[in-house]
Amino acid sequence: MRRGASGAASRSPGARPCTHAGRSAALPAVMAPAALTAALLGGGLLLAAWRWLRAAARPGAGAGASMRGKTVIITGANSGLGRAAATELLRMQARVIMGCRDRARAERAAREIRAELGEREAAEGGGELVVRELDLASLRSVRAFCHRVLQEEPRLDVLINNAGIFQCPYMKTEDGFEMQFGVNHLGHFLLTNLLLGLLKNSAPSRIVVVSSKLYKYGEINFEDLNSEISYNKSFCYSRSKLANILFARELARRLEGTGVTVNSLHPGIVRTNLGRHVNIPLLAKPLFNLVSWAFFKTPLEGAQTSIYLASSPDVEGVSGKYFGDCKEEELLPKAMDDLVARKLWDISEVMVGLLK
């Protein structure tokens, strides 16, 4: 056979082409899906292991503590952080009053909590779970709730202001307040003030205010507290959370020497239904669910700081501080502005009808 200058054998027009190159090119195409699957499985196993180790490394905030004989009110206790806190404080033998807007959902949550703990464990431990209707978007409901508490409860050891609404479209409460500011700040402001007498009579007692790291993006605009000039749902949420911290700071100052302590906290990023008003594109939901499962806290993990501030002897007498992951944290200067805190207090008193 005659060879060309390149040394390659000449091929007749009908000869079959060599297929080695085609097979080599096909291998990556076959291997790519397998490699991707292996990577996803490996990544999933690593994330699962990381989550398990993180949960195992975090001790229970109330480990070893007893709340026997103590009464705790938790707002928004039928789901998320509030439900997790209610479950653990009941486990610690507290009498837990669940203040919830939807009574049917709260009763269902209470049944599930009792089933989770076991009726015998809850009863023998001395704990009790009580459901009371409380709509923080209605000052009338807040007053009715507090009236019943003051009529029925001889003492109140802990108040956890936990309920909240997150980045909802613009809407107003029953009393005409912007919803996020009305529920997250004003509703709790009135609730706390109406229960202060009972808390003082039960001293030493504690008030726990659940805020958020997002307070950093909020500003207290006294010219438009009701967001009637402009509304941005993200900024308004942040403003309400900044108001929570300023409220806790001013309240702690006013309660010095009474035996009632007040502290605020952020729970971190938690997987709860708080973000129900946040729209996530359909195609992005699987990725978001994976990321939230891997990196967001569970409600129980997020509730640890609330439980810690409600029950731990480590913070007995500690007041006016801000916590995260059961440790004190620094605040930005705007969250420590006492002049703004006092002005916000004075205006809030008028808005909720404590002062005419």
Side-chain angles (χ1 to χ4, degrees):
M1 181 180 293
R2 186 168 54 88
R3 295 182 182 272
S6 63
S10 62
R11 187 183 296 118
S12 63
R16 294 183 61 188
C18 178
T19 59
H20 292 170
R23 289 171 184 163
S24 298
L27 284 176
V30 173
M31 294 175 63
L36 179 60
T37 302
L40 289 173
L41 287 174
L45 289 172
L46 286 173
L47 286 174
W50 180 77
R51 275 202 50 77
W52 182 84
L53 288 171
R54 188 181 71 172
R58 182 180 289 112
S66 173
M67 294 290 284
R68 189 179 184 88
K70 295 188 177 182
T71 299
V72 181
I73 290 177
I74 307 175
T75 65
N78 62 290
S79 64
L81 298 174
R83 174 171 171 164
T87 303
E88 293 309 299
L89 290 168
L90 179 63
R91 195 191 305 274
M92 295 160 64
Q93 306 173 7
R95 171 179 166 83
V96 179
I97 299 174
M98 302 169 65
C100 304
R101 179 178 56 85
D102 188 324
R103 187 177 183 89
R105 288 181 59 198
E107 293 284 6
R108 183 166 62 250
R111 288 193 298 271
E112 292 169 356
I113 290 171
R114 294 187 191 104
E116 178 183 337
L117 294 184
E119 293 284 356
R120 183 175 177 180
E121 178 183 346
E124 290 183 354
E128 185 179 2
L129 205 55
V130 180
V131 172
R132 294 286 180 264
E133 187 173 334
L134 171 63
D135 183 358
L136 289 159
S138 164
L139 299 184
R140 174 185 50 80
S141 176
V142 173
R143 291 181 184 277
F145 172 86
C146 291
H147 178 76
R148 184 170 183 180
V149 168
L150 296 175
Q151 290 289 316
E152 297 179 351
E153 302 298 330
R155 63 181 302 109
L156 176 57
D157 300 275
V158 181
L159 170 62
I160 302 180
N161 290 340
N162 166 82
I165 188 166
F166 178 73
Q167 296 190 9
C168 63
Y170 186 78
M171 59 182 76
K172 291 187 175 182
T173 68
E174 178 180 288
D175 305 279
F177 306 127
E178 185 276 312
M179 186 64 71
Q180 295 188 89
F181 191 73
V183 170
N184 298 352
H185 171 61
L186 292 174
H188 283 118
F189 180 88
L190 179 61
L191 174 78
T192 305
N193 274 281
L194 293 179
L195 296 176
L196 273 184
L198 186 56
L199 284 159
K200 289 177 181 177
N201 292 336
S202 308
S205 53
R206 306 179 183 191
I207 300 170
V208 179
V209 179
V210 180
S211 182
S212 167
K213 278 186 174 182
L214 294 177
Y215 86 87
K216 298 175 181 178
Y217 306 103
E219 299 291 340
I220 304 297
N221 179 7
F222 289 110
E223 302 303 316
D224 192 27
L225 281 178
N226 214 32
S227 301
E228 293 176 338
I229 298 174
S230 65
Y231 180 73
N232 178 293
K233 62 182 183 180
S234 299
F235 292 150
C236 284
Y237 176 77
S238 296
R239 181 178 63 187
S240 73
K241 295 290 103 178
L242 175 59
N244 288 158
I245 297 171
L246 292 169
F247 163 59
R249 185 176 179 86
E250 175 64 10
L251 182 58
R253 185 187 70 80
R254 291 171 180 252
L255 291 176
E256 287 177 0
T258 65
V260 183
T261 60
V262 191
N263 292 291
S264 59
L265 68 99
H266 74 81
I269 307 176
V270 188
R271 294 196 311 276
T272 70
N273 65 353
L274 190 65
R276 59 189 177 276
H277 294 294
V278 178
N279 294 319
I280 300 171
L282 184 63
L283 294 177
K285 281 189 176 181
L287 178 60
F288 175 81
N289 291 336
L290 176 62
V291 170
S292 65
W293 174 83
F295 298 107
F296 291 11
K297 292 180 179 180
T298 65
L300 179 57
E301 290 169 343
Q304 290 303 301
T305 306
S306 295
I307 298 165
Y308 172 75
L309 292 175
S311 64
S312 175
D314 294 346
V315 288
E316 185 71 43
V318 176
S319 192
K321 304 300 182 182
Y322 174 72
F323 288 79
D325 289 326
C326 302
K327 299 185 295 291
E328 186 180 339
E329 294 190 2
E330 293 294 321
L331 285 165
L332 294 180
K334 65 181 174 182
M336 298 187 291
D337 190 324
D338 291 335
L339 291 177
V340 172
R342 291 175 192 178
K343 184 175 181 179
L344 178 63
W345 181 286
D346 293 341
I347 292 175
S348 298
E349 279 186 317
V350 175
M351 293 179 79
V352 302
L354 291 174
L355 288 181
K356 300 299 183 184

